[in-house]
Amino acid sequence: MKSARIPGPNKPLVVVDLETPKPQDNQVIVKVKAVGVCHSDLHLWEGGYDLGDGQFMKVTDRGVKYPVTPGHEIVGVVEEMGNSVKDYSKGDEVLVYPWIGCGECPACKVGNENLCDTPKSLGVFQDGGYSDFALVPHYKYLAKLSGVDPESATSLACSGLTAYNAIKKSNVNSPEYLVIIGAGGLGLMGVQIAHAITNAKIICVDLDDEKLKTAKEMGADYVVNSKDPETSQKIISICNDKGADSVVDFVNAPPTAKLGISVLRKRGNLVLVGLFGGSLELSLVTIPLKSITIQGAYTGNYNDMVELLDLTRKGTINPIITKRYTLSEANTALEDLKARKILGRAVINP
Ligand code: NAD
Ligand code: ZN
């Protein structure tokens, strides 16, 4: 099989010929039809995350081993199955749940494998979908598409799933005003999902007017370009001069997190999702005085992914795929994402 692999941090991806694995027991080989290109693939390519103050968190310290085949938004057809596989047959169109855990820690035991202490995620800690074929360790990580468009479905494994989990967290205080920062792959899904499952008025923030235009089409009530130095005041005045009840930050870099905190009203809820990184100084006393909640959100669990597939099948949400690449164009796909040239999501069709 052909796979586009990252040989090491900041090295161009190379397409290599590998032996297609033979599935054992509960394993399944999926012939990849489309795989989403996520900003997290870029962090993996760059070798880690910016911790701020010149510090860097290396993915190798978190258990990543290069060379690695990226790609965690995998859709394809069942090609071959181990002897113990049930419920699936060759040719079934499937979406793959990539956030695989150990199965034994407290998070895994309650079905939150995405929060496992020793994750084994596909396309991060084991080979993913920038490949003709992907080895899925157990058929329980598959979900049948049953009518959902394969390219649209790719988003549901990460960008949609993460946005769904984050928007649910932002919705616990029944927000009247919800600010969504970042209108990229995740943020545009966030806008659609918030429009579908909350009663909030949605304010979307980005640096790019074209992305903000799309956010408006997807259900944002207001859009603000944060190049404007008055962004914070503008948002507060939209929110009846009180501020936003909830903010979801799909960028999570110092300027956006600062903006999020500055527009949050009393009892407000800040959900940090993006991995752009950096660090921030907090004015500690405002947190108790305003009784603010700051929390993180990391992907979502298998059941959330199945719920999202249902919402997509009903047409409630409609992931936007605007660009397609071949496997040998994987470097270009990542460069284009880095240069902010991609609206919504791009996919690779191996
Ligand atoms: P993307 O590149 O598609 O979108 C990023 C968007 O943020 C773009 O629209 C860009 O214009 C905007 N942006 C960048 N800097 C900004 C700033 N200072 N102010 C306002 N807008 C700004 O990326 P994506 O695939 O949507 O991923 C977003 C982030 O979320 C990445 O760091 C990714 O690794 C991370 N991520 C987190 C999880 C999780 O579970 N927490 C899951 C997937 C991805
Ligand atoms: Zn992702």
Side-chain angles (χ1 to χ4, degrees), residues 38 102 118 120 122 125 128 130 138 142 154 175 222 228-229 232 250 254 263 269 274 279 293 300 334:
C38 179
C102 67
T118 48
K120 299 175 168 47
L122 296 179
F125 302 106
Y130 284 32
H138 196 290
L142 302 176
T154 57
Y222 305 89
D228 183 341
S232 178
F250 288 109
V263 301
N269 186 2
S279 61
T293 304
L334 288 171

Side-chain angles (χ1 to χ4, degrees), residues 128-343:
Y130 284 32
S131 180
D132 292 337
F133 295 99
L135 173 67
V136 181
H138 196 290
Y139 65 95
K140 70 180 177 186
Y141 298 116
L142 302 176
K144 286 183 192 167
L145 295 193
S146 309
V148 175
D149 170 68
E151 288 188 350
S152 304
T154 57
S155 294
L156 307 179
C158 178
S159 59
L161 182 62
T162 304
Y164 189 44
N165 181 19
I167 296 297
K168 280 201 213 169
K169 287 188 174 185
S170 76
N171 201 29
V172 295
N173 59 346
S174 311
E176 186 182 357
Y177 289 97
L178 166 62
V179 176
I180 291 181
I181 304 177
L186 266 65
L188 286 177
M189 289 296 299
V191 169
Q192 285 194 44
I193 291 167
H195 185 65
I197 72 168
T198 77
N199 294 317
K201 295 196 183 74
I202 302 162
I203 304 162
C204 185
V205 179
D206 201 287
L207 298 166
D208 184 324
D209 284 329
E210 202 197 339
K211 290 178 178 169
L212 289 173
K213 191 170 153 248
T214 310
K216 209 134 196 215
E217 289 159 12
M218 303 280 96
D221 298 281
Y222 305 89
V223 294
V224 184
N225 190 317
S226 53
K227 279 184 185 155
D228 183 341
E230 310 275 285
T231 300
S232 178
Q233 295 90 309
K234 264 195 178 165
I235 294 174
I236 293 171
S237 80
I238 293 169
C239 306
N240 297 326
D241 290 322
K242 291 267 195 302
D245 308 271
S246 290
V247 176
V248 183
D249 188 350
F250 288 109
V251 179
N252 192 23
T256 59
K258 227 182 250 173
L259 173 70
I261 291 170
S262 76
V263 301
L264 215 53
R265 67 167 298 169
K266 232 179 188 178
R267 303 176 298 279
N269 186 2
L270 175 64
V271 186
L272 301 176
V273 183
L275 301 168
F276 276 63
S279 61
L280 201 66
E281 212 163 272
L282 282 176
S283 150
L284 293 174
V285 82
T286 57
I287 297 170
L289 287 180
K290 287 172 88 178
S291 192
I292 285 168
T293 304
I294 300 178
Q295 60 186 313
Y298 186 75
T299 67
N301 64 26
Y302 176 85
N303 290 340
D304 284 333
M305 190 183 84
V306 171
E307 280 173 34
L308 263 183
L309 258 175
D310 278 339
L311 286 174
T312 313
R313 206 171 286 119
K314 288 185 195 133
T316 312
I317 58 166
N318 184 16
I320 330 164
I321 310 296
T322 56
K323 268 197 169 174
R324 289 157 188 86
Y325 300 86
T326 61
L327 209 53
S328 53
E329 294 167 332
N331 286 296
T332 319
L334 288 171
E335 294 288 2
D336 286 353
L337 182 64
K338 193 172 183 172
R340 301 208 199 119
K341 285 187 192 159
I342 290 165
L343 183 70

Side-chain angles (χ1 to χ4, degrees), residues 8-161:
N10 294 309
K11 300 222 173 86
L13 280 78
V14 214
V15 178
V16 293
D17 250 318
L18 298 174
E19 198 168 325
T20 309
K22 278 269 159 219
Q24 312 285 323
D25 308 326
N26 291 309
Q27 297 175 336
V28 177
I29 295 288
V30 170
K31 184 171 188 347
V32 181
K33 274 192 162 180
V35 56
V37 180
C38 179
H39 207 109
S40 296
D41 303 336
L42 265 181
H43 299 308
L44 186 66
W45 197 21
E46 289 163 353
Y49 307 96
D50 175 14
L51 292 173
D53 299 327
Q55 310 266 56
F56 193 71
M57 182 198 284
K58 286 188 190 166
V59 290
T60 45
D61 292 339
R62 301 185 71 230
V64 170
K65 290 194 179 70
Y66 295 103
V68 64
T69 307
H72 51 266
E73 295 189 345
I74 308 168
V75 166
V77 292
V78 172
E79 172 77 14
E80 220 188 323
M81 297 168 291
N83 288 331
S84 316
V85 174
K86 292 184 282 201
D87 309 329
Y88 289 89
S89 335
K90 187 175 159 90
D92 281 346
E93 279 193 317
V94 290
L95 169 63
V96 179
Y97 179 79
W99 311 111
I100 293 171
C102 67
E104 279 154 23
C105 73
C108 287
K109 278 199 174 134
V110 295
N112 293 329
E113 292 200 33
N114 55 310
L115 302 179
C116 176
D117 292 323
T118 48
K120 299 175 168 47
S121 321
L122 296 179
V124 186
F125 302 106
Q126 41 184 328
D127 286 337
Y130 284 32
S131 180
D132 292 337
F133 295 99
L135 173 67
V136 181
H138 196 290
Y139 65 95
K140 70 180 177 186
Y141 298 116
L142 302 176
K144 286 183 192 167
L145 295 193
S146 309
V148 175
D149 170 68
E151 288 188 350
S152 304
T154 57
S155 294
L156 307 179
C158 178
S159 59
L161 182 62

